[in-house]
Amino acid sequence: MADGDTLVIAHRGASGYLPEHTLEAKAYAHALGAHYIEQDVVATRDDRLVVLHDIHLDRVTNVAEKFPQRKRDDGRYYARDFDLAEIKSLTVWERRGDDGITAVYPNRFPTGVGTFRVPTLRDEIKLIQGLNKATGRNAGIYPEIKSPAWHRREGVDLSSLVIEQLDDLGYRTKADPVYLQCFDAAEVRRIRLELDCGLKLVQLLGENSWGESDTDYDALKTPGGLETLSELADGVGPWLGQLVSTAGVDGTPVTTGLVSAAHAAGLEVHPYTFRADQLPPGFETMEEMVRWFVETLGIDGLFTDFPDLAINALS
């Protein structure tokens, strides 16, 4: 890939076509030409690393059917409460909503169909490395450390385990095809300074109301916040609503200025999430949306459930 090209990052794999974070979704993302493939990482009870969008199992697996007595007081089933062998016995399906029945994206792969499993981080990276060797096309990896403060309260240093495993698999420096991301700004600082991580780091940006971490995202998005962040991180991952607003009666997209401010601070910008079946206001097609964010805002990469559509739009 030539310098200056926009990175297409497969969000949870080719999750627009297959259940998220399954090896099948990752293999298909590779086949579709994704430049990087994302891994959300959480820890099991026996401190093994698995790829799962969040710390809960119940929206994407049959855990409630298989282990009905293992939910916590809040009614949720946590990956941290299960050994790896137990998690590997679960069937993964297309993400469901709060009712545990209805698919979040009803026009995608039928929920409850097929035999998919929760992969370990090691198995997934080995798959991507194997596909790279077999095809001669090198896709990078894009792990996210999920809820590190919560994991520490549960007795495990997730960041240390992830960095150790990445190092073991050959990812050690900024020259390697990997970005390591996290929503927790204190953890990003810790990863860089205390854990002495030499990888490219990305600070994910959410909203303070989401409760992702104790991070003040409003402060991070200011020019001063971005400048300070650039001393530790190589990029930011904002959600689409932080980059564009609408103005006027015609709903024309208008930039918020965050991309240019991040670039002024020397940071790459990789926003999430570009979905053909969930277009933001002001856009009628996925191609139109991708081209506007790339050509008008100048983003450096994008997370998408549909890597093939993003690549086609860019070409």
Side-chain angles (χ1 to χ4, degrees):
M1 188 172 58
D3 290 340
D5 286 352
T6 306
L7 299 178
V8 173
I9 305 148
H11 180 246
R12 311 180 203 175
S15 56
Y17 304 110
L18 285 160
E20 65 182 50
H21 281 320
T22 58
L23 292 182
E24 290 84 353
K26 304 307 173 69
Y28 195 36
H30 194 288
L32 292 176
H35 304 134
Y36 281 80
I37 301 173
E38 184 191 34
Q39 301 79 33
D40 293 324
V41 187
V42 302
T44 66
R45 183 167 61 185
D46 46 351
D47 291 348
R48 303 293 297 276
L49 301 178
V50 294
V51 180
L52 196 69
H53 174 59
D54 55 39
I55 57 179
H56 305 112
L57 290 160
D58 41 283
R59 297 295 182 263
V60 292
T61 76
N62 65 337
V63 65
E65 299 172 5
K66 195 171 180 67
F67 300 101
Q69 305 305 318
R70 300 279 290 277
K71 61 186 176 183
R72 293 196 182 186
D73 291 342
D74 61 2
R76 304 303 301 273
Y77 294 79
Y78 290 75
R80 183 64 178 161
D81 294 337
F82 295 82
D83 295 334
L84 177 61
E86 293 174 322
I87 289 178
K88 279 192 164 292
S89 74
L90 302 175
T91 298
V92 175
W93 52 47
E94 182 70 25
R95 178 169 290 276
R96 297 178 176 183
D98 291 341
D99 63 5
I101 299 172
T102 307
V104 173
Y105 298 100
N107 293 323
R108 297 189 180 183
F109 196 92
T111 188
V113 173
T115 305
F116 303 95
R117 303 296 182 194
V118 176
T120 65
L121 178 62
R122 179 177 293 275
D123 285 348
E124 177 167 323
I125 293 176
K126 285 290 188 181
L127 171 69
I128 294 169
Q129 291 177 336
L131 288 170
N132 286 346
K133 181 177 180 181
T135 63
R137 193 188 67 78
N138 290 317
I141 61 172
Y142 212 123
E144 179 186 342
I145 295 172
K146 300 295 292 190
S147 306
W150 181 90
H151 275 91
R152 277 198 297 277
R153 292 194 295 271
E154 293 285 320
V156 59
D157 185 347
L158 183 61
S159 296
S160 291
L161 292 179
V162 170
I163 292 168
E164 179 182 354
Q165 190 156 116
L166 293 178
D167 182 86
D168 183 58
L169 291 167
Y171 301 93
R172 304 182 182 97
T173 73
K174 291 188 179 185
D176 296 319
V178 55
Y179 288 87
L180 184 60
Q181 59 180 340
C182 188
F183 273 103
D184 190 326
E187 194 70 7
V188 170
R189 173 174 289 276
R190 177 174 175 264
I191 289 168
R192 180 67 84 206
L193 301 181
E194 182 179 328
L195 300 181
D196 196 28
C197 178
L199 302 175
K200 296 185 288 289
L201 297 183
V202 170
Q203 172 67 58
L204 287 165
L205 300 177
E207 298 295 337
N208 293 345
S209 60
W210 294 357
E212 279 286 346
S213 72
D214 292 335
T215 301
D216 184 350
Y217 299 108
D218 291 339
L220 273 185
K221 290 184 294 182
T222 65
L226 293 168
E227 191 65 38
T228 300
L229 181 60
S230 69
E231 299 171 5
L232 303 167
D234 301 274
V236 290
W239 73 281
L240 295 178
Q242 293 171 329
L243 302 187
V244 62
S245 61
T246 57
V249 294
D250 60 352
T252 303
V254 175
T255 177
T256 63
L258 181 58
V259 174
S260 57
H263 283 163
L267 294 164
E268 297 180 47
V269 182
H270 299 168
Y272 62 93
T273 305
F274 287 71
R275 296 183 171 108
D277 49 4
Q278 194 178 45
L279 297 170
F283 301 100
E284 295 185 357
T285 66
M286 174 87 164
E287 178 178 0
E288 178 190 3
M289 175 172 61
V290 169
R291 292 180 68 87
W292 188 86
F293 275 88
V294 172
E295 296 174 0
T296 303
L297 298 192
I299 60 172
D300 306 286
L302 59 91
F303 282 82
T304 179
D305 296 359
F306 302 90
D308 56 329
L309 300 184
I311 291 169
N312 289 341
L314 292 171
S315 63

